[in-house]
Amino acid sequence: MSFRFQDYFYEYLGIDQKELNKGKRIFNTDQRNKPLNGQFVQYLISTHVEGSLIFSVAPQYFDDLFEFLQGQVINNVDEVINIFRKFFSNKIESFNVRKMYRLTLSKDNDILDSLNSCAVRLTKEIFMDNLGHIDNAQKMEIWERKKHEVLEGRKFVVLEGNKITSACKISDIDFGGGNIAVWTESDCRNKGLGKQVVAEAVKWCFSNNILPIYWVDSENIASISLAKSLGFKIKSEEIVVSKTI
């Protein structure tokens, strides 16, 4: 685990190094109540840190989880998933338990510079043109919610004519790490468009001294392959309890 990634990751999980060294394995942090990409909340993340299985949990569940895990022997991923499902069954409605990968890459790679990208930075004009046939009041309401991403220059798109066919943004910046979120029209996939917009988002991160973070479901093989093709490497495997908002 690289030093910079470790700093980001420990803060993101709410890990206190001194407490970790003393054997503490359950940490609570308000970060677990913060929506990611405005879509879902990660109430609990479990992963291995320095050879030990640790749990990062929202404060409101800390005491119950601490008591629940006492005496539990956990041998594999399936057991972790089953434990989490049981624990949250009477606490959260419609939650998901997924295995996720968290990846990053170093600035010292030549893949980004060698990539011939047609991605461009999203502008207000492009954004408004792609909102479809809705009235101006609705467009302005959406713009007000999304304009910070555009004005800060942290969203990139590939256009076909005037239509956005692929997009990538740095959705959240926490503790020096920027979460990369990518999307491509279903009929435009497997053409390298996602790779182009992600590359531009990574460049933006490095230009702004942000560590690019690519967080992806372990079953999303296409997305993982995209990330790896740009030099991303898996830094952690996580079991995550989340809820869509």
Side-chain angles (χ1 to χ4, degrees), residues 112-175:
L112 300 176
D113 293 331
S114 65
L115 184 65
N116 184 20
S117 174
C118 63
V120 297
R121 183 171 291 179
L122 182 65
T123 64
K124 181 179 180 179
E125 181 181 10
I126 295 172
F127 180 88
M128 300 299 275
D129 284 347
N130 277 265
L131 288 180
H133 301 292
I134 58 177
D135 62 46
N136 286 334
Q138 288 176 298
K139 286 185 177 182
M140 290 308 299
E141 180 184 349
I142 296 172
W143 168 250
E144 286 300 315
R145 286 192 281 110
K146 298 290 187 178
K147 68 180 182 180
H148 63 285
E149 298 172 356
V150 180
L151 297 178
E152 291 175 13
R154 52 187 173 94
K155 188 166 185 177
F156 300 86
V157 297
V158 171
L159 299 171
E160 186 175 303
N162 294 323
K163 181 184 177 183
I164 295 174
T165 55
S166 186
C168 182
K169 65 180 179 180
I170 298 88
S171 67
D172 302 80
I173 300 173
D174 298 294
F175 314 111

Side-chain angles (χ1 to χ4, degrees), residues 1 45 73 96 132 137 156 158 173 184:
M1 187 181 293
I45 297 176
V73 178
N96 295 308
F156 300 86
V158 171
I173 300 173
T184 301

Side-chain angles (χ1 to χ4, degrees), residues 68 72 81-90 95:
F68 184 79
Q72 296 270 14
I81 291 173
N82 289 334
I83 286 171
F84 287 173
R85 284 177 176 159
K86 182 178 179 181
F87 176 76
F88 283 102
S89 62
N90 62 350
F95 65 90

Side-chain angles (χ1 to χ4, degrees), residues 20-243:
L20 181 68
N21 293 342
K22 293 178 182 178
K24 184 174 181 178
R25 296 294 176 260
I26 308 174
F27 299 88
N28 70 84
T29 172
D30 285 328
Q31 186 69 26
R32 298 286 71 75
N33 284 318
K34 180 182 176 182
L36 182 66
N37 195 20
Q39 293 183 324
F40 51 86
V41 179
Q42 316 147 289
Y43 289 112
L44 194 153
I45 297 176
S46 178
T47 188
H48 281 87
V49 173
E50 298 184 16
S52 297
L53 185 64
I54 68 96
F55 304 86
S56 171
V57 65
Q60 65 268 31
Y61 302 119
F62 177 81
D63 290 339
D64 286 347
L65 183 66
F66 182 85
E67 183 177 347
F68 184 79
L69 289 177
Q70 296 305 300
Q72 296 270 14
V73 178
I74 304 172
N75 296 310
N76 55 53
V77 170
D78 289 337
E79 288 182 1
V80 174
I81 291 173
N82 289 334
I83 286 171
F84 287 173
R85 284 177 176 159
K86 182 178 179 181
F87 176 76
F88 283 102
S89 62
N90 62 350
K91 293 178 173 61
I92 304 175
E93 293 184 3
S94 304
F95 65 90
N96 295 308
V97 184
R98 297 184 293 166
K99 181 179 178 181
M100 308 291 293
Y101 293 142
R102 192 176 302 266
L103 304 87
T104 192
L105 76 170
S106 68
K107 192 173 184 179
D108 301 323
N109 71 76
D110 56 7
I111 299 175
L112 300 176
D113 293 331
S114 65
L115 184 65
N116 184 20
S117 174
C118 63
V120 297
R121 183 171 291 179
L122 182 65
T123 64
K124 181 179 180 179
E125 181 181 10
I126 295 172
F127 180 88
M128 300 299 275
D129 284 347
N130 277 265
L131 288 180
H133 301 292
I134 58 177
D135 62 46
N136 286 334
Q138 288 176 298
K139 286 185 177 182
M140 290 308 299
E141 180 184 349
I142 296 172
W143 168 250
E144 286 300 315
R145 286 192 281 110
K146 298 290 187 178
K147 68 180 182 180
H148 63 285
E149 298 172 356
V150 180
L151 297 178
E152 291 175 13
R154 52 187 173 94
K155 188 166 185 177
F156 300 86
V157 297
V158 171
L159 299 171
E160 186 175 303
N162 294 323
K163 181 184 177 183
I164 295 174
T165 55
S166 186
C168 182
K169 65 180 179 180
I170 298 88
S171 67
D172 302 80
I173 300 173
D174 298 294
F175 314 111
N179 183 68
I180 291 177
V182 60
W183 161 88
T184 301
E185 282 274 13
S186 58
D187 57 352
C188 295
R189 292 172 185 168
N190 301 313
K191 297 180 180 180
L193 304 185
K195 185 174 181 178
Q196 294 176 41
V197 289
V198 172
E200 294 305 314
V202 169
K203 291 178 185 177
W204 184 94
C205 285
F206 286 143
S207 295
N208 290 275
N209 198 31
I210 302 295
L211 184 68
I213 300 296
Y214 199 99
W215 194 66
V216 60
D217 193 300
S218 64
E219 296 183 359
N220 193 340
I221 304 303
S223 189
I224 295 169
S225 297
L226 184 162
K228 288 184 174 181
S229 72
L230 288 169
F232 279 88
K233 298 183 185 303
I234 295 174
K235 303 296 287 187
S236 72
E237 299 181 6
E238 305 163 16
I239 305 299
V240 181
V241 177
S242 64
K243 179 178 174 65

